[in-house]
Amino acid sequence: MINNKISIKGDPVVDIQRGAIGHRATWTGLTYTKAREAGKAEEAEKFIREAISETGEVQGAAIKSQCKDPQNVTCFAETFLTPNVVKTFEIEFKTKTEDRVDLEFHHCPLLKAWQDLGFDDATCEKLCDIAMDGDRGIAKAMGFEFHLGDTIAKGCSTCQVSFFKNDK
């Protein structure tokens, strides 16, 4: 059972940002489910993943260009995760060093949009993983590794996300 709680309420900027993110999630979710209804789920997933991944790489390149030290994961985190983003997703920093950032997201506005559309838990979990291709693309553009652990869409209490330097 998915429990996508909200504790930060009534912040006008956060509310606007959550609305915009939810609108984007609505487009993606409806695109995928309409394709699935037409028997084209695999094709749609492939195209959506490619587009979201490329979007992440574009965003990652912009973040990298804004970082004073793009090899420093702390600099990346502070550039990518602005105070408004932190409040929007109710992010808790578990680790923040020059080599690694471990985050727990306590709310997901994308997931809320999919839930509001009435999508079942399995569809929400699929769309969540597809959406995470954006973060995977950001990590790739930065030259970092990315790990997705638990997710709210899988019924966990938080989404566990890590960006870290490649040890190779």
Side-chain angles (χ1 to χ4, degrees):
M1 179 78 160
I2 294 174
N3 182 12
N4 189 22
K5 62 186 179 285
I6 296 175
S7 61
I8 297 173
K9 299 176 183 174
D11 181 311
V13 174
V14 169
D15 290 345
I16 289 167
Q17 191 155 348
R18 284 179 176 159
I21 292 167
H23 191 72
R24 181 182 77 205
T26 297
W27 281 355
T28 305
L30 289 173
T31 299
Y32 174 76
T33 58
K34 293 300 176 189
R36 184 176 65 190
E37 289 168 14
K40 301 200 180 287
E42 287 181 23
E43 291 168 86
E45 181 178 344
K46 178 182 181 294
F47 293 128
I48 293 168
R49 282 186 182 276
E50 287 174 0
I52 290 173
S53 180
E54 187 171 332
T55 300
E57 289 184 44
V58 169
Q59 184 180 6
I63 293 166
K64 190 171 189 173
S65 74
Q66 295 170 22
C67 283
K68 290 183 176 103
D69 180 2
Q71 297 307 308
N72 185 317
V73 181
T74 298
C75 182
F76 156 74
E78 291 172 354
T79 303
F80 175 39
L81 303 169
T82 66
N84 284 328
V85 170
V86 169
K87 287 193 292 186
T88 297
F89 287 89
E90 303 190 18
I91 298 171
E92 180 182 355
F93 287 86
K94 296 304 217 175
T95 307
K96 186 164 71 167
T97 69
E98 67 179 50
D99 295 324
R100 177 179 198 97
V101 63
D102 297 304
L103 310 159
E104 286 193 9
F105 291 61
H106 293 268
H107 173 70
C108 180
L110 293 98
L111 178 57
K112 180 175 183 333
W114 301 324
Q115 290 176 299
D116 288 351
L117 289 166
F119 294 165
D120 62 42
D121 289 0
T123 300
C124 288
E125 186 176 344
K126 167 70 81 175
L127 290 168
C128 168
D129 189 64
I130 291 170
M132 295 310 297
D133 282 355
D135 295 277
R136 292 177 184 107
I138 290 169
K140 179 179 177 183
M142 291 297 303
F144 299 147
E145 296 296 315
F146 174 83
H147 175 74
L148 177 63
D150 291 346
T151 66
I152 299 168
K154 289 181 184 173
C156 301
S157 60
T158 62
C159 294
Q160 298 173 336
V161 174
S162 299
F163 293 88
F164 51 96
K165 288 183 180 179
N166 185 336
D167 293 333
K168 295 176 188 173

